[in-house]
Amino acid sequence: MKARDILKGGFSIRIGSGESSFWFTPLPGSGSLLHKIDNIHERDLDLRVSDVFVDGSWHFDIMTTTIPEDIHNHLPGIFINPILMDTYIYFQGLPFG
């Protein structure tokens, strides 16, 4: 077993400024939206989390891509902090020892 496989489940994204990709960033509790949406319009490919999550709520109306209602309902509220970078953090203890 590789260390990557052991540690992989303990990492999560911490959204800071929201500069990460809206589609590729694994949002807490939801994972990456890339594989959950059938057709992403090319105009929306460069959207960042901070483009879609504004003033404490999701604004899907800015997109050409349709986000299904079941995905709307499962996206968590997040906190955008413009002075922090989006980064991965390790949140679990090691699974041995």
Side-chain angles (χ1 to χ4, degrees):
M1 177 177 281
K2 295 183 178 205
R4 174 196 60 187
D5 297 330
I6 294 171
L7 298 173
K8 179 168 70 174
F11 282 92
S12 179
I13 187 86
R14 181 187 69 196
I15 301 296
S17 61
E19 293 298 310
S20 297
S21 167
F22 176 71
W23 303 108
F24 294 95
T25 301
L27 298 171
S30 300
S32 170
L33 295 177
L34 180 65
H35 301 293
K36 295 180 180 183
I37 306 297
D38 291 331
N39 296 307
I40 299 172
H41 194 280
E42 65 184 63
R43 281 192 214 156
D44 297 333
L45 288 174
D46 292 330
L47 285 173
R48 299 166 301 162
V49 173
S50 61
D51 295 329
V52 185
F53 193 79
V54 179
D55 295 329
S57 61
W58 294 104
H59 292 267
F60 300 111
D61 56 326
I62 69 160
M63 298 190 303
T64 305
T65 302
T66 301
I67 304 291
E69 192 69 31
D70 63 323
I71 293 177
H72 276 218
N73 297 333
H74 286 73
L75 285 176
I78 58 175
F79 177 72
I80 301 275
N81 185 338
I83 61 172
L84 295 176
M85 291 176 39
D86 297 350
T87 187
Y88 282 92
I89 58 171
Y90 191 75
F91 67 92
Q92 292 180 342
L94 294 174
F96 48 83

